[in-house]
Amino acid sequence: MNFDFRRTLMLIGKVSRFVGRVRSCVVIPLARVFTSSNMAKSKFEYVRNFETDDTCLRNCYIVVRLDGRNFHRFAEQHQFTKPNDNRALGLMSRSAHSVMEELEDIAIAYGQSDEFSFVFKRSSTWFKRRASKLMTHVASQFSSSYVFYWKEFFGDQPILYPPSFDGRVILYPSNRNLRDYLSWRQADCHINNLYNTVFWTLVQRAGLTTAQAEDRLKGTLAADKNEILFSEFDINYNNESALHRKGTTLIWEKRNETVTKRMKPPDEEEKHVPVIRSRRRVQAYHCDIIGDQFWEEHPDILEDDNC
């Protein structure tokens, strides 16, 4: 049945004139006047059927890995120090720290160069374990933090354009799988950093062009690179910064801290009393996570495989 709005208003006016003064009336919500059995919401909401279910499998660790998009150009435009810029690495770590504080179900995070991996507990129910929600939240929090904390690490050097990071979600069903994944990323850190250290040493100290340095290192193994550094430049790679060789591992740790509170005991004057409380904080490590020692010292990171 078609609804004639103008005709309804005319009828209301006639009734008003007939009744005269109206001391009380019944108000009918406009929503009811315009409601029909074929509402717009019902008519169009079929489009929700096109959404795909991206719920992550239960009892699996959810890893969200971010990688800087076109970061070679970004590093050049912002004059990052080669082979490692501690300002940029510090900013990456600070941004990851912000992500962990926002999403407390992240048990551990590992980063190196322009990438960071965030590991959600296998028991996590954040965002109903939807992969798209987890990935976009991590990526947006990380990217915005990178811009927000830029000045803290780069001072007056302006950021010329917004950085971008792409993300992916990977599931690992066992503790062994997760440890192997993190070991793979740390091994990648070592391989890349050793190459970059030799490469830029040849360019900066031996005067080679980038093409000549690349040609010099073709086909060389790790032992060959270490030998070049030691015999030609008196550099022991093992003495290089652990931050550069091992990357950054972020975990939650409980720390006791003493705070002062103003208290007024019965029948006494108000006074300041030291109180010890335990708080969880994100702690950074630059250490080996391939071996067992790190995991034995932090047994609360991994969950029971029999969950």
Side-chain angles (χ1 to χ4, degrees):
M1 181 177 67
N2 294 329
F3 179 78
D4 192 330
F5 181 70
R6 294 179 60 187
R7 184 183 178 193
T8 300
L9 291 178
M10 292 173 63
L11 287 173
I12 292 174
K14 289 179 180 179
V15 171
S16 298
R17 288 194 298 274
F18 177 77
V19 174
R21 289 186 179 182
V22 179
R23 296 185 180 275
S24 64
C25 64
V26 177
V27 178
I28 302 175
L30 285 177
R32 286 179 54 188
V33 176
F34 291 100
T35 299
S36 68
S37 58
N38 189 22
M39 295 192 318
K41 178 182 177 183
S42 299
K43 178 180 179 181
F44 299 118
E45 69 177 348
Y46 78 92
V47 296
R48 296 180 61 183
N49 297 327
F50 288 87
E51 296 182 16
T52 57
D53 181 14
D54 63 347
T55 303
C56 294
L57 192 66
R58 291 170 58 87
N59 297 335
C60 289
Y61 291 104
I62 304 172
V63 176
V64 178
R65 185 167 86 237
L66 301 183
D67 290 284
R69 182 178 177 274
N70 200 11
F71 243 62
H72 288 294
R73 176 175 175 271
F74 187 87
E76 290 176 2
Q77 292 284 322
H78 292 88
Q79 301 175 340
F80 284 8
T81 304
K82 302 294 186 179
N84 294 292
D85 192 308
N86 288 334
R87 299 170 303 169
L89 294 173
L91 180 55
M92 290 286 293
S93 181
R94 182 64 186 87
S95 302
H97 191 288
S98 174
V99 173
M100 288 188 69
E101 289 180 328
E102 179 72 16
L103 300 170
E104 295 183 5
D105 262 13
I106 296 174
I108 184 173
Y110 176 77
Q112 50 112 353
S113 186
D114 64 342
E115 73 167 57
F116 240 101
S117 297
F118 300 90
V119 181
F120 286 83
K121 298 175 183 176
R122 65 198 313 173
S123 58
S124 176
T125 57
W126 279 70
F127 303 112
K128 298 182 180 179
R129 295 179 69 86
R130 290 189 60 184
S132 56
K133 290 280 189 178
L134 292 167
M135 182 180 66
T136 52
H137 198 109
V138 169
S140 61
Q141 182 70 27
F142 190 92
S143 300
S144 59
S145 296
Y146 194 96
V147 175
F148 185 81
Y149 292 111
W150 173 271
K151 198 168 186 178
E152 184 177 317
F153 293 88
F154 285 85
D156 294 332
Q157 179 180 335
I159 185 168
L160 303 177
Y161 59 89
S164 61
F165 298 86
D166 63 64
R168 71 200 72 186
V169 174
I170 319 107
L171 303 182
Y172 292 104
S174 71
N175 291 340
R176 183 74 266 166
N177 293 151
L178 178 64
R179 282 190 55 181
D180 286 347
Y181 167 78
L182 294 171
S183 297
W184 170 51
R185 300 320 305 145
Q186 188 167 69
D188 185 73
C189 173
H190 163 70
I191 293 169
N192 290 337
N193 188 67
L194 177 58
Y195 180 91
N196 289 334
T197 299
V198 182
F199 179 89
W200 287 106
T201 300
L202 290 171
V203 172
Q204 295 169 354
R205 293 181 56 176
L208 273 63
T209 65
T210 54
Q212 290 171 334
E214 184 178 352
D215 189 63
R216 172 80 188 276
L217 295 176
K218 280 182 180 178
T220 57
L221 303 176
D224 302 321
K225 296 180 179 69
N226 275 292
E227 180 61 25
I228 293 173
L229 287 174
F230 189 74
S231 61
E232 298 184 26
F233 304 100
D234 196 28
I235 296 176
N236 185 340
Y237 179 74
N238 291 326
N239 294 334
E240 293 295 294
S241 169
L243 166 64
H244 304 155
R245 293 183 294 110
K246 302 294 185 181
T248 300
T249 303
L250 301 178
I251 62 173
W252 288 100
E253 282 192 346
K254 286 185 178 180
R255 294 290 180 90
N256 291 331
E257 60 179 23
T258 302
V259 297
T260 302
K261 287 191 174 182
R262 297 178 65 181
M263 301 181 65
K264 188 180 185 307
D267 303 324
E268 294 184 28
E269 294 184 359
E270 188 176 69
K271 58 183 178 180
H272 291 84
V273 179
V275 178
I276 298 176
R277 63 183 182 184
S278 180
R279 297 186 64 180
R280 288 208 321 159
R281 293 183 179 275
V282 177
Q283 183 66 34
Y285 286 89
H286 311 296
C287 63
D288 177 73
I289 59 174
I290 297 176
D292 294 329
Q293 182 178 347
F294 173 82
W295 302 99
E296 291 170 354
E297 292 175 351
H298 305 93
D300 55 325
I301 297 174
L302 300 176
E303 295 177 83
D304 188 357
D305 262 336
N306 297 319
C307 66

